[in-house]
């Protein structure tokens, strides 16, 4: 697959969300825990740095987690290229976050491509593999954007002439920060915006980590896409009042049956969309499909994160400093489910790099026929 140019820009400079440093071995990332208030680049130098970056969400979003894990393997093998260390490295990285299947996909690929090689070839091949995963992700996302643009064009043409901008609701961050470049759901939005379709995006804040308020809003502003951040519970109201023409989200794992796991709260938006006749699309790259999981609702592991993410909120104070405050009573008990599963029956269509399909095993297999009969 062809590698596309860097696309997304920060202060007019094009960036990917992860890249190989000029020294040829260390890896730079944008530290997403510091956005939107600070733009900090962090260098990963070893396995521990890569695992920490994924676990504390300096990098996040399913495709970017997979890409970071791939570079984590390269950094680890540079320290010690033995087959035993490759296995231990994959175990360490796999334990960082349980839900996004791209992590498991990238690590399985690493084991498959690297374990049989002579140890002196492993490091170089691991770096090539990581770069390939990144380049492939960019190409995939561009293709998702093109297919999704067709959906928006079609829906836009049906909208009455005097009804204003095409209104899209999105949840969490499925933009270039969640991938290597372009994004999945936001690639569709960027393509439609670039095409000149007048858009307005409702950005769910996405408690508790606020990926919508902090990251999606930051991305859309940089790209000039009109948007408003709304609190997570507004979507239903907007849909009841015909203020949403389409919902589109990304996904961390889509099961073989078309069930879609994504950031907590996605399911409620899909329910509201169904009740109000609003199309609900999910954009995803092939590596986010978990062919081993037959029933997403009952089988996908849901990450439970630290309760302090619920009890505390970070932001910029009036002195312009980034601060963190407690919003709950002292000693409160809180529970932090990070993802939920939207059953396939609530999804209008899956937008992949190969085209659009029904959210079902048959729909997915139409696009990925090589998976017929395979369960791994
Ligand atoms: O917890 P996060 O921020 O890693 O969750 C990210 C999401 O839920 C995204 O919607 C998903 O990874 C798809 S992004 C292309």
């Amino acid at each position: 697959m062809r590698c596309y140019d860097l696309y997304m820009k920060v202060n007019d400079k094009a960036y990917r969300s992860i890249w190989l440093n000029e020294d040829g071995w260390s890896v730079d990332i944008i530290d997403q825990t510091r956005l939107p208030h600070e733009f900090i680049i962090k260098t990963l130098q070893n396995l521990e740095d890569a695992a920490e970056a994924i676990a504390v969400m300096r990098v996040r979003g399913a495709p970017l987690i997979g890409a970071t894990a791939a570079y984590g393997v390269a950094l680890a093998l540079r320290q010690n290229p033995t087959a035993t260390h490759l296995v231990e490295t994959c175990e360490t990285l796999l334990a960082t976050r349980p839900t996004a299947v791209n992590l498991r996909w990238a690590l399985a690929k690493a084991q498959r491509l690297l374990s049989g090689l002579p140890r002196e070839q492993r490091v170089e091949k691991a770096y090539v593999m990581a770069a390939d995963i990144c380049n492939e992700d960019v190409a995939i996302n561009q293709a998702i954007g093109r297919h999704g643009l067709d959906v928006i064009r079609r829906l836009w043409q049906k909208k009455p002439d005097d009804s204003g901008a095409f209104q899209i609701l999105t949840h969490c961050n499925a933009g270039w920060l969640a991938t290597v470049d372009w994004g999945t759901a936001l690639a569709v939005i960027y393509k439609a915006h670039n095409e000149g379709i007048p858009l307005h995006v409702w950005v769910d804040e996405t408690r508790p980590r606020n990926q919508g308020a902090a990251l999606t809003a930051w991305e859309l502003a940089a790209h000039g896409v009109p948007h408003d951040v709304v609190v997570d519970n507004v979507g239903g109201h907007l849909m009841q009042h015909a203020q949403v023409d389409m919902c589109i989200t990304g996904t961390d794992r889509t099961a073989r049956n078309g069930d879609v796991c994504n950031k907590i709260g996605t399911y409620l938006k899909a329910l509201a969309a169904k009740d109000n006749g609003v199309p609900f699309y999910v954009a995803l790259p092939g590596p986010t499909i978990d062919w081993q999981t037959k029933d997403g609702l009952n089988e996908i592991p849901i990450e439970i994160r630290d309760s302090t993410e619920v009890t505390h909120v970070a932001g910029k104070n009036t002195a312009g400093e980034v601060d963190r405050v407690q919003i709950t009573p002292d000693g409160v008990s809180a529970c932090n489910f990070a993802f939920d599963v939207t059953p396939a029956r609530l999804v209008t269509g899956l937008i992949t790099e190969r085209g659009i399909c029904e959210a079902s095993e048959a729909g997915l297999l139409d696009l990925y026929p090589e998976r017929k009969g395979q369960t791994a």
Side-chain angles (χ1 to χ4, degrees):
M1 209 175 270
R2 198 184 130 202
C3 167
Y4 288 82
D5 292 338
L6 293 168
Y7 182 74
M8 294 302 160
K9 296 203 170 60
V10 181
N11 298 328
D12 279 339
K13 184 169 177 220
Y15 282 90
R16 283 184 173 186
S17 60
I18 187 166
W19 62 97
L20 191 64
N21 212 324
E22 281 169 5
D23 61 18
W25 67 270
S26 65
V27 177
D28 281 355
I29 57 162
I30 297 166
D31 185 347
Q32 299 189 27
T33 62
R34 311 291 285 272
L35 289 171
H37 307 301
E38 297 166 301
F39 184 76
I40 307 276
I41 291 168
K42 185 171 164 60
T43 301
L44 311 179
Q45 297 194 315
N46 50 43
L47 168 63
E48 293 70 31
D49 288 349
E52 190 261 2
I54 298 171
V56 307
M57 296 174 62
R58 297 187 200 286
V59 288
R60 28 73 45 205
L64 180 56
I65 291 172
T68 308
Y71 271 119
V73 169
L75 291 168
L77 291 178
R78 202 172 163 270
Q79 293 168 284
N80 173 357
T82 61
T84 314
H85 194 231
L86 174 60
V87 172
E88 288 163 359
T89 293
C90 290
E91 282 168 5
T92 302
L93 288 164
L94 195 59
T96 52
R97 293 197 74 189
T99 300
V101 79
N102 306 58
L103 180 64
R104 188 185 79 196
W105 169 84
L107 295 171
K109 188 171 180 135
Q111 300 251 31
R112 207 169 51 243
L113 293 183
L114 306 174
S115 59
L117 292 177
R119 53 191 277 177
E120 61 280 6
Q121 289 180 20
R122 280 199 192 112
V123 178
E124 192 191 332
K125 281 283 190 290
Y127 276 103
V128 170
M129 184 200 77
D132 285 350
I133 284 178
C134 290
N135 291 336
E136 189 187 32
D137 181 64
V138 180
I140 283 176
N141 297 336
Q142 291 241 47
I144 289 172
R146 285 194 296 274
H147 293 301
L149 170 61
D150 291 341
V151 174
I152 293 188
R153 241 194 235 122
R154 188 169 39 79
L155 293 171
W156 166 242
Q157 279 160 5
K158 282 204 227 150
K159 207 172 138 89
D161 282 349
D162 56 352
S163 58
F166 188 77
Q167 302 274 3
I168 301 176
L169 182 138
T170 191
H171 192 70
C172 195
N173 172 263
W176 70 271
L177 289 168
T179 63
V180 176
D181 207 348
W182 279 94
T184 55
L186 291 200
V188 175
I189 290 173
Y190 292 137
K191 291 275 183 190
H193 175 77
N194 293 354
E195 177 96 348
I197 297 173
L199 302 176
H200 171 265
V201 183
W202 298 110
V203 179
D204 284 352
E205 62 175 348
T206 319
R207 280 279 290 147
R209 297 281 302 212
N210 294 320
Q211 290 95 328
L215 306 178
T216 300
W218 183 78
E219 277 196 31
L220 292 177
H223 203 75
V225 182
H227 62 280
D228 281 284
V229 175
V230 287
V231 297
D232 286 330
N233 296 327
V234 166
H237 166 79
L238 291 172
M239 290 186 232
Q240 284 174 320
H241 293 276
Q243 300 212 44
V244 181
D245 296 308
M246 172 195 195
C247 296
I248 185 165
T249 71
T251 166
D252 291 83
R253 190 186 294 227
T254 291
R256 202 176 174 100
N257 67 349
D259 286 354
V260 168
C261 183
N262 192 48
K263 182 53 53 191
I264 191 78
T266 303
Y267 168 52
L268 293 178
K269 295 302 142 59
L271 278 176
K274 188 73 166 182
D275 195 41
N276 291 285
V278 174
F280 187 95
Y281 282 91
V282 176
L284 68 149
T288 306
I289 304 166
D290 180 356
W291 297 99
Q292 295 172 27
T293 294
K294 293 201 181 80
D295 174 348
L297 188 55
N298 289 303
E299 294 175 36
I300 294 176
I302 301 295
E303 179 177 18
I304 298 180
R305 294 186 62 83
D306 198 293
S307 61
T308 56
E309 291 182 353
V310 175
T311 57
H312 291 67
V313 174
K316 191 157 72 172
N317 66 21
T318 48
E321 294 151 354
V322 176
D323 215 343
R324 191 163 173 270
V325 294
Q326 181 182 320
I327 58 168
T328 48
D330 288 344
V332 83
S333 172
C335 204
N336 187 8
F337 296 95
F339 297 95
D340 61 25
V341 175
T342 298
R345 66 188 154 78
L346 300 178
V347 178
T348 309
L350 301 174
I351 305 173
T352 78
E353 73 276 16
R354 295 197 185 176
I356 298 163
C357 70
E358 181 188 88
S360 66
E361 179 166 0
L364 284 167
L365 287 174
D366 263 356
L367 292 183
Y368 299 88
E370 70 276 19
R371 295 291 182 167
K372 280 185 185 145
Q374 274 180 31
T375 48

